[in-house]
């Protein structure tokens, strides 16, 4: 990162505009409205000062993957005028003993990766008298390294999860295999088709499809993503927005 905060802010601003233009183009290519797609700036690798500059550059939604770092950022940003109206999402693996550090502090939890975790989050939200908006993380590509429900597990358990009183399921989330554009496209279209199937079965809108990262967000938008999670391409000057 640069030592010159002003020019880093300029980089962040220009990069944001370039990213939003690409999202809009990808949406139009797919016959979608650019306004259907939100982008979150994944600030997990940068400090609170850089996140603050990103807020000045126009970003309003942020993502963190560790409860502890989420807490640190929220504390550091408390009271900053730039942070007014900004919200954070939890996008990373959530351990049961960290649930209380996250609920009530984030707009959306993307990473409900099992029925047990769904139940645990629901129970803790109920105890606090809140309802958490969540996404069900789905391992569409079937890679062993990825967490989340398999599509069949989700088909089998979705109805029970939707009945949990402490969570409100807004949609699905997935991660694509790295470095393979065709596999990424199949993963994203698979997520879209699975959400459609579950919509028909449950009658719930399940509107949010969280998919697409720096290397594959345009493909994700072409395949129906409503929420792209962007880290390196937002914050890293060395990242080449190809
Ligand atoms: C880090 C991370 C991202 C952002 O990845 P980039 O490739 O840096 O854009 C998105 N989603 C999750 C779950 C992540 O952990």
């Amino acid at each position: 990162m640069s030592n010159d905060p002003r020019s880093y802010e300029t980089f962040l601003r220009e990069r944001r505009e370039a990213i939003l233009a690409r999202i809009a183009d990808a949406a139009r290519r797919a016959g979608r409205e650019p306004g259907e797609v939100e982008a979150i700036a994944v600030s997990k690798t940068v400090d609170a000062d850089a996140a603050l500059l990103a807020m000045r550059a126009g970003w309003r939604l942020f993502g963190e993957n560790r409860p502890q770092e989420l807490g640190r950022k929220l504390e550091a940003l408390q009271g900053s005028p730039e942070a007014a109206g900004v919200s954070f999402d939890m996008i990373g693996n959530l351990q049961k003993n960290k649930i209380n550090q996250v609920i009530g502090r984030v707009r959306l939890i993307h990473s409900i990766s099992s029925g047990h975790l769904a139940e645990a989050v629901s129970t803790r939200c109920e105890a606090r008298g809140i309802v958490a908006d969540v996404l069900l993380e789905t391992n569409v590509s079937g890679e062993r390294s990825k967490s989340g429900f398999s599509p069949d597990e989700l088909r089998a358990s979705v109805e029970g999860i939707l009945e949990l009183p402490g969570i409100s399921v807004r949609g699905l989330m997935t991660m694509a295999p790295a470095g393979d554009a065709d596999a990424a496209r199949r993963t994203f279209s698979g997520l879209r088709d699975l959400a459609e199937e579950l919509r028909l079965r449950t009658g719930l809108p399940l509107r949010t499809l969280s998919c697409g990262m720096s290397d594959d967000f345009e493909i994700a938008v072409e395949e129906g993503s409503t929420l792209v999670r962007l880290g390196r391409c937002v914050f890293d000057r060395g990242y080449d927005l190809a």
Side-chain angles (χ1 to χ4, degrees), residues 42 44 65 91 173 175 213-215 229-233:
V42 176
K44 66 187 183 189
N65 69 338
I91 62 171
M173 179 270 221
M175 314 236 298
M213 314 197 329
S214 292
D215 289 340
R229 309 178 307 267
L230 307 176
R232 289 168 299 143
C233 73

Side-chain angles (χ1 to χ4, degrees), residues 146-226:
K146 294 220 172 358
S147 47
F149 294 87
S150 74
D152 279 340
E153 265 175 327
L154 198 55
R155 290 183 181 100
S157 55
V158 69
E159 267 127 1
I161 292 171
L162 295 180
E163 284 171 7
L164 295 169
I167 59 174
S168 174
V169 177
R170 299 293 174 165
L172 306 182
M173 179 270 221
T174 201
M175 314 236 298
D180 182 340
D182 291 336
R185 190 176 292 281
R186 283 195 299 276
T187 302
F188 301 143
S189 64
L191 188 76
R192 182 193 61 216
D193 292 346
L194 181 60
E196 185 58 25
E197 180 190 327
L198 298 177
R199 271 178 208 127
L200 291 173
R201 246 187 44 203
T202 65
L204 270 194
L206 300 174
R207 246 186 279 277
T208 302
L209 295 180
S210 167
C211 59
M213 314 197 329
S214 292
D215 289 340
D216 53 26
F217 70 90
E218 293 167 275
I219 299 173
V221 171
E222 288 172 2
E223 297 300 330
S225 172
T226 69

Side-chain angles (χ1 to χ4, degrees), residues 97-119:
N97 61 358
K98 303 279 171 65
I99 291 170
N100 280 328
Q101 296 178 32
V102 171
I103 57 173
R105 307 181 88 181
V106 296
R107 180 190 73 131
L108 180 68
I109 301 172
H110 294 226
S111 41
I112 300 294
S113 52
S114 71
H116 287 303
L117 183 60
E119 284 166 18

Side-chain angles (χ1 to χ4, degrees), residues 11-26:
F11 160 78
L12 290 170
R13 190 179 296 280
E14 290 171 358
R15 186 48 79 80
R16 178 171 177 273
E17 280 163 17
I19 289 168
L20 296 183
R22 281 167 186 246
I23 290 173
D25 286 345

